[in-house]
Amino acid sequence: MQLYPYQQRVKDLILNGKSVVLQAPTGSGKTRAALAPFIEGFFDRPATAPRKCVYVTPMRVLANQFYAEYHRLAESYYLRHGKLLDVRIQTGEQPDDRRFEGNLIFCTVDQFLSSYLMMPYSLPYRLANVNAGAFTGAYLVFDEFHLFDPEAALPTILYVLQQLKGLAPVMLMTATFSGDMLQALANLLHPAEIVTLSADEIIAINTRGNKPARQRVWQVADTNLQAAVVLAAHRHASMVICNTVRRARELYLDLKQQAPAGTEIILLHSQFLPADRRWIEERLRKLLGIGAPREQANLIVVATQVVEVGVDISVEILHTELAPPASLIQRAGRCARYPGETGTVIVYPVDRYIPYAFKNDDLLKQEMDSALAWLKERSGQVLDFTDEQALVNAVSTPRDRQVIGNIQADRQNRQSNIHRCLEGFREGASRLLVRDVDSRTLLIHHEPDQLLASPYDAVGLNIPLYSLRSMVKEWLQRPIDVPWRVRRLDESEAGDRLENNRTLYRWVDVQDGHDLEAAALIVVHPALAGYSEQEGFLPNVGHLPFLSTLPPATTLIDRTTFGLRVEPYRDHIQRVLQAFTDLALPELRFAAHALERIAGWQQGSVLCAAWLACLLHDVGKLSVGWQQWAHAYQQAIGQPVNQTVALAHTTFDRQNPTHAQAERQVSQHYQRPRHAAEGALAVAHVLAKALPHQELVKATLTAIARHHAPFVQDCQSFKLVDNAKNVIKDTLQFLPKDVICQVNPDMLWQQVDTGQVSQFADLLTRPSDRYGWIAYSLLARALRRADQRGTEMGHARATP
């Protein structure tokens, strides 16, 4: 299908390396405009175009829709042409690509930002630095940009884009930003082009198929939204959009009670399980989607903001509570959505501004009130896209200017908060840097210890933190006899000082709402709360059948729970380098070349650093202390290994009590030393000689130091075994020939005492230079993925 003229303009800009700020109406093909250049570049320009696209949305429903569409297209293209585009999705409810390993990934903004900030919501603490490097050199698309939290997500995204500027083009898309905001975004992303549609283009799109243009009549009600008013106006297909889940649930129950027989009432909000939510959305598309016989329907949909974007349905009458102008326009896009249709949008005043404005957001309250007044003056009129833009410019410009000013004024403070977060200080970071309406994953189970094998994989619900606080307060006070009420997941025993590849979790009782801040997962006793397929999460109803469960063991993310087998050091390094070649190198190439270009670094230097990081990452295990511990442990479990063989892994089966007993027994004589930061210090001079740029050296050292513990900043004294240099020389054969000549094992630090540890401590901190940070994120990602895969290969094949 031929591109619209504006889509062609966008494609030409993106393929020429330009970033774009696009403003276009809902239903005009913005997604195709964004992805057409990536797909063409991916297949037709593999050497010069990004190999990864991360498409970021404000809502899961939008990610779900685009993933379903482009996954089907990719499968069809593969069948016809034999070319594979790996399309994936990463959201809180469908975390199918937790490590961002696909080619085209649809994700929510919280998944994107939490991953970049090294606090990924869908990965354990110990894997915090795996995802940040996935975005370097990727084509980044931010859809419905106006819906990102202007106090948290929006300025953080702009910081990220400043850091990644020049590596690959970026695209920001919106239907409803003021002219001031569009220009400010283009200036911040400079050089970036603003693309808008002419009136003729909009008319041509809206009348495609030789149909008349759609028409929406806007009305303003005098009273709050009530079930009786909805029923009085209902004909065939109506939708009601409330601002909170609680309000939607209340209105749904009122409609169920008052509606005449034969009227179907469907509830949709964010607190449904993924499978149930997808089933509801699919049913709505069948009943109300393009081509559906809506005139034969008798359906009222009650929903929240989840339908503002991505749900491709159309109704005759849309009732909506007052919201910010951008949200009102998005909601209106579900009414008379298709060419030739007519419909009515009715806006109702509200008593409370939650979740949009809380106590201190007077300007947003004023914006919402101004929007209501502006619409009231035009009540009963047909408003088109030009009118909607007039609404945004009339009432949103003051707040947009404030947002722009706040972003500029708060740059230093935000940068400081981001740097603290990148060093592992997470408390409050989600609220400050991702979104103020922060959420937590809530599980329901009477014996939550059954979920500790991989709690992040357990089936749960995402609940906004402000709602969860009030729920927890009520749960803790409810007069009911249960052994416990609410617990949070504690990962403190999986901290930086553990390098055993075994994540340790436990549940800790929640005492009050403050305990929720630093917790990623919460579990509530099923006597206090439950779940219904028709109503979703029910915080006030217990003793329902639903319990959170784990998926089959083969799909669990914490793959280090498998049994470990003894593995010689030489074999492990060979497997890690092979895994790097197969898994990490294809993703790394484009990003590495892009970084070398903008940093002015020697061509091939970043790839050389990656090879060396993989080669040298476990040198710390060649210490006398680590080898003594490993051999003593193998002896204790009855599987001794020749003392001349340097080991990289020991045998361990968590289901075997003998192994745990042996570990405790050996630890009485040999405390297993740490090795990651120690190994980085041991090879510091080797890397300094091999790599041509100081920041690249520091980035490589940091990647090695943090390949088990993502925020470690210190190390122990150590002494390497006498033949350490020879062991390393034996592994050089696994490197490419042009890298081998860079390595001189004779420059190893053979021994480091306590005093020297502090002398070289600055080598073990995150690089502060922009290019050094980018390099570290790339190298950490490549090394950790290669080490994980290589370790899995070794445990599958190694023998004592």
Side-chain angles (χ1 to χ4, degrees):
M1 190 169 74
Q2 187 175 2
L3 296 175
Y4 296 139
Y6 90 89
Q7 293 173 332
Q8 186 63 49
R9 295 200 301 274
V10 167
K11 189 179 87 166
D12 293 341
L13 289 167
I14 295 296
L15 288 177
N16 284 312
K18 298 284 185 65
S19 294
V20 171
V21 179
L22 170 66
Q23 184 177 57
T26 56
S28 62
K30 294 192 296 295
T31 302
R32 189 167 184 235
L35 294 183
F38 169 72
I39 293 172
E40 179 176 316
F42 184 87
F43 288 122
D44 299 338
R45 307 185 186 188
T48 59
R51 311 311 296 153
K52 184 189 294 287
C53 172
V54 182
Y55 193 110
V56 185
T57 71
M59 295 182 177
R60 289 168 287 178
V61 64
L62 199 59
N64 292 341
Q65 175 188 316
F66 294 153
Y67 166 71
E69 177 183 352
Y70 278 86
H71 189 264
R72 287 194 299 268
L73 290 174
E75 287 183 335
S76 173
Y77 195 87
Y78 178 73
L79 291 174
R80 286 183 286 120
H81 303 286
K83 296 181 178 180
L84 177 64
L85 178 69
D86 186 2
V87 181
R88 303 193 188 185
I89 186 171
Q90 176 58 34
T91 67
E93 69 175 19
Q94 194 171 349
D96 293 350
D97 195 10
R98 299 174 191 263
R99 293 177 175 83
F100 286 85
E101 295 175 322
N103 303 131
L104 172 56
I105 306 158
F106 296 97
C107 72
T108 46
V109 65
D110 54 339
Q111 295 290 325
F112 170 80
L113 286 180
S114 67
S115 288
Y116 183 87
L117 295 170
M118 294 196 176
M119 53 175 189
Y121 292 163
S122 295
L123 289 175
Y125 175 87
R126 64 182 182 80
L127 297 177
N129 61 349
V130 169
N131 283 348
F135 311 120
T136 297
Y139 171 43
L140 302 178
V141 179
F142 295 88
D143 199 359
E144 308 296 355
F145 204 68
H146 56 279
L147 294 179
F148 294 124
D149 186 342
E151 305 297 328
L154 176 58
T156 306
I157 289 170
L158 294 176
Y159 170 87
V160 173
L161 297 185
Q162 288 285 319
Q163 292 297 104
L164 300 180
K165 182 187 291 188
L167 292 160
V170 171
M171 186 162 181
L172 311 182
M173 302 193 296
T174 179
T176 51
F177 260 153
S178 68
D180 284 36
M181 181 62 85
L182 290 176
Q183 190 58 57
L185 292 174
N187 292 342
L188 287 167
L189 295 177
H190 181 76
E193 298 283 340
I194 298 176
V195 175
T196 58
L197 279 67
S198 67
D200 289 342
E201 283 184 281
I202 294 173
I203 292 172
I205 292 172
N206 286 339
T207 58
R208 59 191 182 274
N210 295 319
K211 293 184 178 181
R214 63 194 179 201
Q215 289 189 331
R216 299 187 190 110
V217 176
W218 287 70
Q219 297 178 1
V220 174
D222 295 325
T223 61
N224 292 359
L225 180 56
Q226 300 294 333
V229 179
V230 174
L231 290 171
H234 176 67
R235 295 194 298 273
H236 301 288
S238 301
M239 177 176 286
V240 183
I241 303 182
C242 301
N243 290 345
T244 66
V245 174
R246 176 182 290 183
R247 180 84 175 100
R249 192 183 292 118
E250 291 171 350
L251 194 57
Y252 166 80
L253 294 175
D254 288 345
L255 286 167
K256 291 278 287 185
Q257 186 175 23
Q258 300 177 31
T263 304
E264 183 176 5
I265 316 293
I266 293 179
L267 179 63
L268 178 61
H269 53 67
S270 60
Q271 295 173 16
F272 278 92
L273 293 174
D276 292 335
R277 183 165 161 178
R278 286 193 293 270
W279 185 90
I280 294 171
E281 290 170 0
E282 186 56 39
R283 176 158 177 78
L284 291 181
R285 279 189 285 270
K286 181 179 179 180
L287 296 174
L288 303 175
I290 189 167
R294 287 182 293 280
E295 66 280 356
Q296 301 175 18
N298 184 11
L299 172 64
I300 300 175
V301 181
V302 182
T304 59
Q305 297 92 323
V306 296
V307 298
E308 285 184 12
V309 293
V311 181
D312 190 7
I313 59 176
S314 183
V315 297
E316 302 164 301
I317 301 177
L318 186 138
H319 307 263
T320 174
E321 291 187 318
L322 177 63
S327 292
L328 290 177
I329 294 169
Q330 289 295 143
R331 294 177 183 189
R334 309 315 114 182
C335 176
R337 181 173 179 83
Y338 309 122
E341 292 187 340
T342 60
T344 302
V345 177
I346 308 174
V347 182
Y348 295 78
V350 293
D351 297 324
R352 304 179 68 207
Y353 294 83
I354 290 175
Y356 299 104
F358 293 86
K359 289 185 291 185
N360 299 322
D361 203 342
D362 292 333
L363 200 56
L364 184 50
K365 295 177 184 177
Q366 180 182 330
E367 181 183 358
M368 292 169 66
D369 289 338
S370 297
L372 190 67
W374 192 95
L375 289 169
K376 198 165 189 177
E377 290 178 1
R378 295 158 180 81
S379 187
Q381 296 182 18
V382 174
L383 303 182
D384 60 15
F385 181 68
T386 303
D387 298 314
E388 293 169 352
Q389 288 308 115
L391 166 63
V392 170
N393 284 320
V395 305
S396 299
T397 296
R399 188 162 184 273
D400 282 353
R401 288 174 178 168
Q402 183 192 56
V403 169
I404 296 165
N406 289 346
I407 290 173
Q408 297 287 8
D410 196 45
R411 287 180 68 180
Q412 292 300 321
N413 185 49
R414 177 164 298 275
Q415 182 172 317
S416 175
N417 287 331
I418 289 173
H419 286 174
R420 281 181 53 78
C421 186
L422 293 173
E423 285 297 346
F425 299 98
R426 298 178 168 190
E427 187 171 355
S430 291
R431 179 176 53 81
L432 289 171
L433 302 175
V434 181
R435 54 180 177 177
D436 193 26
V437 185
D438 196 8
S439 64
R440 296 291 183 271
T441 299
L442 180 71
L443 310 179
I444 303 173
H445 207 286
H446 61 289
E447 294 184 11
D449 284 356
Q450 295 178 7
L451 307 176
L452 288 179
S454 190
Y456 283 88
D457 279 300
V459 176
L461 299 133
N462 285 309
I463 310 294
L465 187 56
Y466 73 85
S467 297
L468 197 55
R469 287 194 190 99
S470 62
M471 294 175 188
V472 167
K473 182 178 180 180
E474 195 276 329
W475 291 334
L476 294 177
Q477 296 175 352
R478 190 184 301 177
I480 188 171
D481 184 20
V482 288
W484 59 272
R485 293 172 180 264
V486 190
R487 291 175 174 172
R488 62 179 176 84
L489 186 69
D490 178 66
E491 299 182 71
S492 60
E493 295 184 24
D496 281 344
R497 294 186 175 276
L498 293 181
E499 297 179 348
N500 59 8
N501 273 342
R502 279 174 256 146
T503 304
L504 302 177
Y505 301 112
R506 62 174 183 154
W507 296 106
V508 177
D509 286 339
V510 170
Q511 304 297 327
D512 55 44
H514 297 294
D515 289 347
L516 305 177
E517 284 289 340
L521 293 179
I522 311 293
V523 62
V524 62
H525 196 283
L528 294 165
Y531 179 83
S532 159
E533 293 179 356
Q534 291 75 37
E535 297 182 50
F537 178 57
L538 297 171
N540 301 318
V541 183
H543 300 291
L544 295 178
F546 172 78
L547 290 178
S548 297
T549 57
L550 290 175
T554 54
T555 66
L556 297 181
I557 62 165
D558 198 358
R559 289 176 287 182
T560 54
T561 57
F562 49 66
L564 311 182
R565 303 181 70 181
V566 68
E567 185 178 27
Y569 181 92
R570 178 186 184 278
D571 294 353
H572 176 60
I573 299 303
Q574 181 181 12
R575 287 170 181 138
V576 170
L577 290 170
Q578 184 61 53
F580 171 74
T581 304
D582 298 339
L583 179 69
L585 185 58
E587 178 188 270
L588 182 61
R589 277 200 178 97
F590 180 86
H593 294 159
L595 175 57
E596 291 160 359
R597 183 186 69 250
I598 67 167
W601 289 351
Q602 180 178 316
Q603 186 175 358
S605 58
V606 175
L607 290 182
C608 179
W611 282 108
L612 295 182
C614 292
L615 174 79
L616 303 171
H617 76 284
D618 266 354
V619 164
K621 288 184 176 179
L622 296 179
S623 71
V624 172
W626 204 96
Q627 291 298 317
Q628 284 180 338
W629 178 91
H631 281 276
Y633 170 80
Q634 288 297 136
Q635 181 74 35
I637 65 171
Q639 297 179 18
V641 178
N642 190 311
Q643 294 289 326
T644 63
V645 177
L647 299 180
H649 292 114
T650 55
T651 298
F652 184 84
D653 182 353
R654 65 171 61 243
Q655 304 299 323
N656 189 333
T658 303
H659 292 181
Q661 181 181 354
E663 199 170 44
R664 291 191 296 270
Q665 173 188 335
V666 172
S667 296
Q668 295 176 4
H669 304 283
Y670 302 102
Q671 188 64 40
R672 179 167 66 177
R674 291 157 50 193
H675 71 276
E678 293 70 20
L681 189 54
V683 302
H685 284 192
V686 177
L687 292 174
K689 183 69 174 178
L691 299 174
H693 310 290
Q694 182 178 353
E695 278 300 313
L696 185 55
V697 172
K698 195 167 185 178
T700 311
L701 288 171
T702 310
I704 294 173
R706 297 183 175 183
H707 80 270
H708 279 289
F711 304 110
V712 70
Q713 296 188 31
D714 64 345
C715 70
Q716 302 169 335
S717 57
F718 62 86
K719 178 182 179 181
L720 299 186
V721 295
D722 292 339
N723 67 332
K725 295 177 183 177
N726 291 331
V727 173
I728 295 172
K729 289 177 181 178
D730 187 35
T731 62
L732 294 182
Q733 61 185 296
F734 308 127
L735 288 175
K737 292 181 180 179
D738 59 331
V739 179
I740 292 176
C741 61
Q742 308 294 325
V743 186
N744 182 2
D746 292 331
M747 302 190 73
L748 276 175
W749 279 88
Q750 196 74 29
Q751 183 172 351
V752 173
D753 59 32
T754 304
Q756 290 171 313
V757 164
S758 59
Q759 180 181 350
F760 297 105
D762 67 310
L763 291 173
L764 305 178
T765 59
R766 178 184 59 82
S768 56
D769 175 87
R770 173 195 171 199
Y771 301 132
W773 155 250
I774 294 173
Y776 160 62
S777 67
L778 283 175
L779 297 174
R781 175 173 175 80
L783 172 56
R784 298 209 67 170
R785 293 177 72 208
D787 188 31
Q788 176 78 44
R789 178 65 63 84
T791 299
E792 291 172 355
M793 292 163 55
H795 296 326
R797 298 186 300 189
T799 55

